[in-house]
């Protein structure tokens, strides 16, 4: 069983759908059964988001313009892909899905509100349209295929906007829905990004979440491998949009890939690897536009796995919150109550650092969660704040930069070289963290120093040993 996921750029237009068809055909010939997971066509989720926001703000002109864009983008692809009798049928199916979104926008315009639940229902149309289009195209081209809306088989909690999957129920539902299809030789074309609660209310897994959907499908079906098709040759030693000399990495361990994605490498959604670890299902990252290239393999470490620094990544904007106490509460209590408050408000903590001689520490949270985090802490420490036992909580929007590679702690001098490289570029380091995992050295820098910091670290550790650059 092979699960293949295609990202937004892989299904950007009719030509791309044709390329995907070739890849799926080869997959079916060599590795059947195959299950496909697909994202919305590129730019679609963003356009849906903007329409919904504009509707809630009462900006009808923008809503109309975006709807027209979405309609045309899909209808143009349909016209090019289906010269025959199927065209009408596919166009009607896609128009009906888009009409649902139009209704939701009308509701938001009326309410002047953007409820998260309605937002998830609205965003779902992107993946539902692309899955319909791809399944119909494959089927039309002689590869039996059927679109599957994961509202029927990816069961989640009701945290709209970033809903955690309920794995046991999802596994049962996916096997019930997808296996009868693969058994009769049909390729299921599954919507990425989407799920639904037990009660059938639509949810999404969070932006970029189709990678995660694909790993959930792979785990549920006990697949042998997961191949993620995207617009780069694989995982590179840095984001190629930021570092021109970034070099291709032929293999990464699960831990390295998890660190990279948590610290901002968009090539892989940060929750993707967790479902695969129980059965150690390997992941390949491959280029839809250069399918003959081998891609990067992500899997368990082996005796020959290279050790040491491999890649540099960055996350921005993120928010650094500083808590400073005058001694009451002491550090341990400060930590305990901070984590409890943030856990209750479901704020993800990206990094924590503490100055040893002070009852103070800093923590890094996603910028989107900073206000929620500040409110939760202000509430948890309201007495201490009102009596000036705790200084007002400071917030600074910054960038986090990380050097990733297993086994770095065993090599003396790496941190020294890293800070030396930043110093030479006059990049001021605001906070530092080295995980006990041995595979990540992170630091916080000013937002405007992000690119310089990434380039300097990449130059220090990766470029000199590069056999091949891209
Ligand atoms: P998809 O739509 O296929 O999911 P994404 O845009 O989400 O694709 O992810 C691919 C992009 O990730 C690449 O175009 C690249 O700019 C970015 N990226 C960031 N860091 C890295 C990295 N270390 N290696 C490869 N790509 C990276
Ligand atoms: N279409 C969704 C997004 O843009 C999910 C994905 O592409 O992975 O966030
Ligand atoms: Mg992606």
């Amino acid at each position: 069983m092979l699960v293949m996921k295609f990202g937004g750029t892989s299904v950007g237009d009719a030509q791309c759908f044709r390329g995907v068809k070739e890849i799926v055909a080869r997959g079916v010939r060599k590795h059947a059964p195959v299950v496909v997971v697909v994202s919305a066509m590129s730019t679609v989720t963003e356009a849906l988001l903007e329409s919904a926001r504009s509707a809630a703000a009462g900006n009808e002109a923008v809503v109309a313009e975006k709807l027209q864009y979405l309609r045309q983008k899909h209808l143009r692809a349909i016209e090019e892909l289906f010269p025959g009798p199927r065209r009408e049928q596919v166009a009607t199916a896609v128009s009906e899905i888009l009409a649902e979104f139009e209704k939701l926008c009308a509701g938001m315009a009326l309410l002047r509100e953007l409820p998260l639940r309605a937002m998830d229902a609205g965003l779902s149309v992107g993946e539902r349209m692309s899955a319909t289009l791809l399944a119909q195209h494959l089927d039309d081209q002689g590869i039996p295929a059927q679109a599957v809306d994961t509202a029927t088989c990816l069961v989640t909690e009701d945290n709209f906007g970033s809903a955690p999957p309920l794995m046991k129920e999802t596994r049962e539902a996916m096997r019930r829905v997808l296996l009868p299809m693969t058994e009769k030789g049909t390729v299921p074309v599954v919507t990425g990004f989407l799920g639904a609660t037990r009660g059938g209310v639509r949810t999404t897994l969070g932006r970029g979440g189709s990678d995660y959907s694909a790993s959930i499908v792979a785990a549920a079906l006990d697949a042998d491998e997961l191949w993620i098709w995207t617009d780069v040759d694989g995982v590179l030693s840095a984001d190629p949009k930021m570092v021109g000399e970034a070099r291709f990495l032929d293999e990464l361990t699960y831990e390295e890939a998890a660190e990279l994605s948590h610290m901002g490498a968009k090539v892989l959604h940060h929750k993707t690897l967790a479902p695969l670890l129980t059965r150690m299902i390997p992941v390949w990252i491959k280029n839809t536009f250069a399918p003959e290239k081998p891609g990067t393999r992500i899997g368990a470490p082996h005796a020959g796995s290279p050790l040491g620094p491999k890649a540099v990544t960055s996350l921005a904007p993120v928010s650094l919150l500083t808590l400073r106490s005058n001694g009451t509460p002491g550090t341990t209590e400060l930590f305990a109550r901070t984590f409890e408050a943030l856990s209750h408000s479901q704020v993800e903590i990206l990094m924590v650092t503490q100055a040893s001689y002070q009852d103070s520490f800093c923590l890094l949270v996603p910028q989107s969660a900073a206000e929620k985090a500040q409110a939760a802490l202000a509430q948890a420490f309201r007495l201490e704040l009102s009596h000036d036992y705790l200084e007002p909580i400071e917030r600074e929007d910054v960038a986090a930069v990380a050097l990733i590679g297993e086994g770095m702690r065993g090599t003396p001098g790496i941190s020294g070289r890293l800070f030396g490289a930043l110093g030479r570029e006059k990049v001021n380091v605001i906070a530092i963290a080295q995980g006990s995992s041995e595979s990540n050295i992170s630091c916080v820098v000013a937002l405007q120093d992000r690119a310089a910091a990434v380039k300097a670290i990449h130059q220090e550790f990766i470029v000199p040993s590069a056999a091949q650059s891209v």
Side-chain angles (χ1 to χ4, degrees):
M1 166 87 61
L2 173 63
V3 176
M4 293 205 232
K5 177 258 172 177
F6 295 91
T9 42
S10 302
V11 289
D13 58 20
Q15 191 55 30
C16 297
F17 276 98
R18 291 198 185 99
V20 168
K21 185 227 110 194
E22 292 300 326
I23 293 172
V24 175
R26 222 173 6 257
V28 170
R29 272 201 306 277
K30 291 193 175 165
H31 308 278
V34 168
V35 176
V36 168
V37 178
V38 71
S39 294
M41 291 176 78
S42 55
T43 69
V44 165
T45 305
E46 211 49 49
L48 291 166
L49 258 173
E50 278 177 47
S51 326
R53 285 195 193 115
S54 308
N59 195 340
E60 284 171 30
V62 175
V63 180
E65 180 204 315
K66 295 284 167 199
L67 278 168
Q68 177 69 355
Y69 167 76
L70 289 164
R71 195 172 296 118
Q72 277 189 349
K73 182 169 175 96
H74 290 88
L75 292 183
R76 199 179 312 122
I78 291 169
E79 261 175 39
E80 284 182 42
L81 289 173
F82 304 97
R86 238 182 239 247
R87 180 186 289 178
E88 201 57 40
Q89 181 200 334
V90 184
T92 308
V94 163
S95 302
E96 279 171 6
I97 298 173
L98 200 56
E100 253 184 60
F101 179 70
E102 214 169 333
K103 274 197 204 142
L104 280 166
C105 282
M108 294 182 198
L110 210 61
L111 292 169
R112 286 284 193 275
E113 210 187 309
L114 199 63
L116 276 179
R117 173 178 165 152
M119 192 75 173
D120 275 4
L123 292 184
S124 79
V125 308
E127 269 70 10
R128 286 158 64 203
M129 291 192 289
S130 64
T132 303
L133 245 158
L134 181 57
Q136 290 284 347
H137 177 54
L138 293 174
D139 208 64
D140 194 48
Q141 297 292 308
I143 305 167
Q146 192 177 330
V148 177
D149 180 345
T150 36
T152 61
C153 59
L154 204 163
V155 191
T156 71
E157 311 236 16
D158 64 358
N159 309 28
F160 299 104
S162 169
L166 297 163
M167 285 306 283
K168 195 162 165 284
E169 281 147 274
T170 297
R171 183 180 165 90
E172 279 168 20
M174 283 193 169
R175 298 181 80 84
R176 193 176 58 241
V177 172
L178 303 177
L179 292 181
M181 291 185 195
T182 56
E183 273 155 22
K184 66 172 202 267
T186 298
V187 176
V189 180
V190 175
T191 52
F193 186 46
L194 316 179
T197 64
R198 287 187 181 121
V201 181
R202 288 192 178 282
T203 54
T204 63
L205 304 184
R207 290 305 306 276
S210 296
D211 300 333
Y212 189 26
S213 311
S215 73
I216 293 168
V217 172
L221 303 184
D222 295 332
D224 298 298
E225 294 198 349
L226 166 61
W227 294 9
I228 292 183
W229 292 91
T230 183
D231 61 355
V232 279
D233 288 347
V235 182
L236 307 176
S237 56
D239 184 346
K241 289 179 184 126
M242 197 174 282
V243 180
E245 306 141 309
R247 75 179 191 104
F248 168 73
L249 300 169
D250 49 15
E251 62 174 299
L252 280 175
T253 65
Y254 286 122
E255 180 159 336
E256 289 167 336
E259 292 282 4
L260 262 176
S261 58
H262 267 105
M263 291 304 289
K266 196 185 164 218
V267 66
L268 198 64
H269 184 271
H270 67 280
K271 293 181 184 163
T272 309
L273 296 172
L276 306 173
L277 297 179
T278 326
R279 286 195 58 246
M280 297 285 190
I281 301 171
V283 186
W284 288 85
I285 310 287
K286 286 169 169 283
N287 191 344
T288 314
F289 307 101
E292 68 292 349
K293 294 196 174 165
T296 301
R297 184 181 191 277
I298 301 169
H302 54 86
S305 296
L307 293 176
K310 279 197 186 158
V312 188
T313 183
S314 65
L315 195 58
V318 285
S319 300
L320 190 71
L321 303 178
T322 304
L323 282 91
R324 207 170 274 123
S325 150
N326 68 2
T328 316
T331 317
T332 312
E333 190 187 334
L334 199 62
F335 267 59
R337 288 171 57 192
T338 299
F339 288 136
E340 193 183 4
L342 295 183
S343 144
H344 275 306
S345 327
Q346 296 183 326
V347 173
E348 186 191 358
I349 300 174
L350 301 167
M351 188 195 288
V352 181
T353 61
Q354 183 204 3
S356 60
Y357 65 94
Q358 277 178 336
D359 291 314
S360 85
F361 74 105
C362 323
L363 48 100
L364 200 65
V365 298
Q367 193 198 37
S368 55
E371 271 176 33
K372 189 157 80 167
Q374 278 180 298
L377 294 174
Q379 172 67 18
F381 292 108
R382 60 193 182 286
L383 274 179
E384 288 81 357
L385 284 164
S386 67
H387 289 96
D388 294 333
Y389 293 159
L390 203 66
E391 288 179 25
I393 296 159
E394 283 168 32
R395 165 177 167 184
E396 192 179 354
D397 287 349
V398 291
V401 183
L403 178 64
I404 312 282
E406 277 204 48
M408 288 194 297
R409 206 174 54 179
T411 319
I414 291 188
S415 302
R417 280 172 62 197
L418 187 143
F419 296 116
L422 293 179
R424 281 194 296 282
E425 288 302 312
K426 309 253 181 307
V427 172
N428 179 40
V429 176
I430 300 170
I432 302 168
Q434 172 166 18
S436 54
S437 73
E438 295 194 36
S439 52
N440 177 349
I441 304 177
S442 310
C443 58
V444 172
V445 300
L447 268 179
Q448 70 270 18
D449 288 338
R450 175 192 191 182
V454 169
K455 283 186 192 136
I457 300 172
H458 193 270
Q459 182 70 31
E460 175 69 30
F461 290 98
I462 315 287
V463 172
S465 59
Q468 149 204 27
S469 31
V470 293

